[in-house]
Amino acid sequence: MRMRVLHTSDWHIGRRFKGVDLLDYQRKALEWLVSLIERERVDVLCVAGDVYDAPRPSAEAVRLFNEIFQRLGLMEINGHALQIVFTPGNHDSAARLGFGAALMRPNVHMRCDIAGIGTPVMVESADGERLAVYALPYLDPDLARPALQSLLGTMADGCGRADATDSRDADMVGTSGIAESSDAPETGGRNAGSHDMRTGKRHAGHTIQRSHEGVMRAALQVATA
């Protein structure tokens, strides 16, 4: 049986529309999502950002998220715990969403730190199928560029990256819905980068364009190195 992955985003819990509180409608939508996961026997749930509508959500919004989050975290599909991967969006506060991530259940994976984008979340289905999920948080061009440039520089100096978790035999997926490939996009111009004479591999330059496309290209290069 193939592993089933459900990708969702932009819950925007706590949003108001023209002065109307949408919390009751959002509760119904999230309860429908829970029932869908149960009905379709979903193995992996990827939530790609904007869980909340604001960096400082109301107490009611946090309460709704915690309620749904607890139900999802306790779900079992085909005898295995539902695997959940969260990343923050531009409406979320990465620090707030990731607070206490280390204390969460082992089937809940919060990826809020740029430094960890090159290490996939490894999940396994009931029949042993393995999947590597590369979860990219929202990347603000001004804030993300220094960290990504540092990661690319480290990769070039070390002639590649060695993951602590072996994902070579696993299928790969990104939370953005972009198919991952071993042919990483370059961050510089057409002739950017250099060749390692020992391995023959090409290393891209470290200059990242000041744009959403630029930081996303750099992040994908880190993830697929």
Side-chain angles (χ1 to χ4, degrees), residues 80-155:
H80 274 218
L82 172 68
Q83 298 296 313
I84 306 171
V85 182
F86 274 98
T87 60
N90 62 314
H91 283 251
D92 298 313
S93 165
R96 186 179 297 271
L97 192 63
F99 178 76
L103 303 178
M104 292 180 182
R105 296 173 59 86
N107 60 310
V108 178
H109 314 275
M110 286 282 190
R111 287 302 173 91
C112 303
D113 188 359
I114 295 177
I117 63 176
T119 303
V121 175
M122 299 300 302
V123 296
E124 187 170 338
S125 66
D127 58 358
E129 185 178 11
R130 300 171 68 228
L131 181 71
V133 181
Y134 287 86
L136 305 183
Y138 171 73
L139 301 172
D140 179 275
D142 290 325
L143 299 178
R145 285 169 67 224
L148 290 170
Q149 286 175 339
S150 177
L151 288 173
L152 289 173
T154 301
M155 288 165 49

Side-chain angles (χ1 to χ4, degrees), residues 6-54:
L6 191 153
H7 182 283
T8 177
S9 66
D10 296 280
W11 294 359
H12 288 277
I13 299 175
R15 185 174 186 177
R16 300 179 67 88
F17 182 70
K18 294 186 176 181
V20 177
D21 189 345
L22 302 180
L23 209 60
D24 287 340
Y25 299 98
Q26 291 172 327
R27 177 183 297 277
K28 292 178 181 179
L30 292 172
E31 288 177 347
W32 171 84
L33 179 67
V34 172
S35 65
L36 177 68
I37 292 171
E38 292 176 330
R39 184 172 68 252
E40 297 296 332
R41 314 304 294 168
V42 172
D43 297 289
V44 184
L45 172 66
C46 294
V47 186
D50 287 349
V51 169
Y52 293 117
D53 190 58

